[in-house]
Amino acid sequence: MLSKTLASLLLLPAALRGVLAQNTTSGTACNNSPNLCDRRYNLVTYLGAHDSMFLRDDSTGFSSSGNQFYNSTVQLSAGVRLLQGQIQLKGNALHLCHTSCDLLDAGPLNTWLSEVKTWMDSNPNEVVTILLVNGPGASASEIAAQYNQAGITTSLAYTPSGSTSSQQTWPTLQSMINSGTRLVNFIQGLTYDSTTPWLMDEYTYIFENNYDISSPTGFSCAPASPSNVANQTTTALSDGLMPLQNHFLYENIAFGIQQPNQSYVTVTNAPSGGVGNLGDAAASCRRSYGRAPTYLLVDFFNVGPAIATADRLNGVSSPVGRTHVSTSILQESSAGALTPNGWIMWSSGLTALLGFWVL
Ligand SMILES: *[C@@H]1O[C@H](CO)[C@@H](O)[C@H](O)[C@H]1NC(C)=O
Ligand SMILES: *[C@@H]1O[C@H](CO)[C@@H](O)[C@H](O)[C@H]1NC(C)=O
Ligand SMILES: *[C@@H]1O[C@H](CO)[C@@H](O)[C@H](O)[C@H]1NC(C)=O
Ligand SMILES: *[C@@H]1O[C@H](CO)[C@@H](O)[C@H](O)[C@H]1NC(C)=O
């Protein structure tokens, strides 16, 4: 009896010390909230930036192929935790390009991965997910080489415990943070390679609703991919697949070509109000799945603001550690040709013209 009491007296301060040490070394918030630390990875809802690196801003001359107004670093600082994009070939090199590198080239894959790595190094309590569409069907080792060039190895990349979704048990965010393996990497169209198990095939772990929507009444929660669970919500969920809710709107321009619908995004990304708003759509998917979607994937993430819906699904009311970004549609400078690039082009054109006449 006496020894038991003595033991518990000795154990109590140790346990308290453990709790205090854990909070001081790792901070108290995981992904912007202390509420999320003890939640398993697959049960958190992450806001995702669709085509994260394809920008509609000064750097691309406000390209109509751009899906985001702010770059991946700004997205992460504002609370986005899923970065989605597309790999294409430029010559022999793996670049991030929107459909084609002639249309919109966001540079070499390893350069962008370095940008993400830099952000993660300065934000050690954050769990981030990357999802890349493998346009050219690059091998796992080719893609892994790009990650390694960016300094991303298995000390940062999460390695799943199971190679199928039903074998996989997702750890809590705190556990991923403690082990340092807090970058989760999915590739759509990956041939699994046992030497790089940390590069995960998307459809082994995730199902998605239809993404090709151009009417605000067209959003659906039914699984569309992978094809073996199309329209089979119960099977998709019982297989342990995580729901990814695509929620972005295209507009049709000439010849069957589509581009992101910017004018309607204030409704598309809104937490409530208006046909096809994100908040109502996510609530509807939560009812349909009996659980919240793991990922919400949107264009122009800052508008809405879309993150309000992720916070609501997570039950987070006072997020911490985010950098505020304007919720407006980013407008091209009204000075038009007088923006620095435009001015240089205009003045060098004039110089060429004058040169022609002078000569
Ligand atoms: C440490 O964090 C946990 C949750 O992560 C919390 O429950 C606990 O109260 C915190 N302890 C202190 C001393 O702040
Ligand atoms: C991202 O955008 C911010 C704000 O415009 C800028 O300061 C930063 O240099 C950009 N980062 C990269 C890697 O392009
Ligand atoms: C799923 O359901 C939709 C709507 O009912 C239908 O258009 C589509 O063809 C179905 N897909 C499959 C694979 O059954
Ligand atoms: C964008 O979507 C809205 C809502 O459906 C529609 O009224 C508008 O015409 C679309 N924009 C274009 C350019 O198609």
Side-chain angles (χ1 to χ4, degrees):
M1 188 65 198
L2 186 70
S3 63
K4 241 184 177 176
T5 311
L6 197 60
S8 52
L9 279 173
L10 286 169
L11 282 171
L12 188 64
L16 266 178
R17 268 203 310 277
V19 168
L20 290 170
Q22 195 181 343
N23 288 2
T24 35
T25 54
S26 61
T28 51
C30 307
N31 286 26
N32 304 126
S33 172
N35 295 358
L36 301 178
C37 294
D38 294 336
R39 206 171 298 175
R40 290 190 184 277
Y41 170 87
N42 58 323
L43 298 178
V44 176
T45 298
Y46 308 94
L47 179 63
H50 176 230
D51 289 334
S52 168
M53 65 297 290
F54 304 141
L55 303 181
R56 192 178 282 200
D57 70 355
D58 275 331
S59 73
T60 64
F62 282 80
S63 169
S64 58
S65 297
N67 303 64
Q68 301 294 337
F69 296 126
Y70 299 97
N71 64 35
S72 302
T73 299
V74 173
Q75 292 162 20
L76 288 166
S77 296
V80 167
R81 289 292 174 271
L82 166 67
L83 307 175
Q84 191 267 358
Q86 245 182 63
I87 305 173
Q88 300 291 351
L89 273 184
K90 179 161 190 171
N92 291 325
L94 295 182
H95 272 229
L96 291 158
C97 298
H98 200 177
T99 317
S100 140
C101 291
D102 294 330
L103 206 55
L104 186 50
D105 179 2
L109 174 56
N110 67 71
T111 307
W112 178 78
L113 289 170
S114 298
E115 180 187 340
V116 178
K117 165 83 162 51
T118 300
W119 188 89
M120 292 197 74
D121 287 347
S122 34
N123 293 275
N125 259 54
E126 305 304 302
V127 175
V128 172
T129 304
I130 290 177
L131 167 57
L132 297 171
V133 176
N134 185 5
S139 69
S141 63
E142 288 173 295
I143 297 171
Q146 297 285 309
Y147 275 82
N148 293 339
Q149 278 173 38
I152 300 170
T153 63
T154 47
S155 58
L156 182 64
Y158 171 76
T159 301
S161 58
S163 57
T164 67
S165 58
S166 41
Q167 287 166 3
Q168 169 66 13
T169 304
W170 291 97
T172 64
L173 296 190
Q174 187 69 66
S175 146
M176 297 171 83
I177 289 163
N178 290 352
S179 63
T181 52
R182 25 183 205 98
L183 181 61
V184 180
N185 302 282
F186 295 110
I187 309 288
Q188 187 187 108
L190 182 81
T191 303
Y192 177 77
D193 184 334
S194 60
T195 63
T196 54
W198 53 275
L199 279 179
M200 292 176 271
D201 168 55
E202 181 198 2
Y203 293 137
T204 300
Y205 299 96
I206 292 172
F207 77 87
E208 293 185 37
N209 62 346
N210 189 4
Y211 69 89
D212 189 7
I213 304 297
S214 51
S215 160
T217 56
F219 293 114
S220 160
C221 298
S225 298
S227 56
N228 65 316
V229 295
N231 290 341
Q232 298 178 59
T233 302
T234 310
T235 307
L237 290 165
S238 64
D239 282 354
L241 297 175
M242 298 180 281
L244 182 150
Q245 184 186 345
N246 290 299
H247 193 82
F248 41 89
L249 193 66
Y250 289 105
E251 62 191 24
N252 298 310
I253 52 174
F255 313 116
I257 298 170
Q258 293 183 314
Q259 64 186 32
N261 182 325
Q262 174 180 292
S263 63
Y264 197 70
V265 70
T266 45
V267 176
T268 303
N269 286 6
S272 63
V275 177
N277 75 75
L278 176 63
D280 289 351
S284 157
C285 291
R286 177 160 61 179
R287 278 193 301 277
S288 161
Y289 304 152
R291 53 152 297 170
T294 307
Y295 312 99
L296 305 174
L297 196 60
V298 303
D299 282 337
F300 311 117
F301 85 90
N302 58 303
V303 183
I307 197 126
T309 296
D311 286 340
R312 191 198 294 162
L313 294 179
N314 281 327
V316 166
S317 52
S318 312
V320 295
R322 286 185 190 153
T323 305
H324 177 75
V325 178
S326 161
T327 57
S328 306
I329 289 174
L330 188 65
Q331 302 290 348
E332 204 163 355
S333 162
S334 56
L338 295 181
T339 58
N341 281 341
W343 175 253
I344 290 161
M345 278 170 68
W346 183 81
S347 57
S348 56
L350 186 68
T351 308
L353 193 66
L354 288 175
F356 175 79
W357 284 109
V358 167
L359 286 170

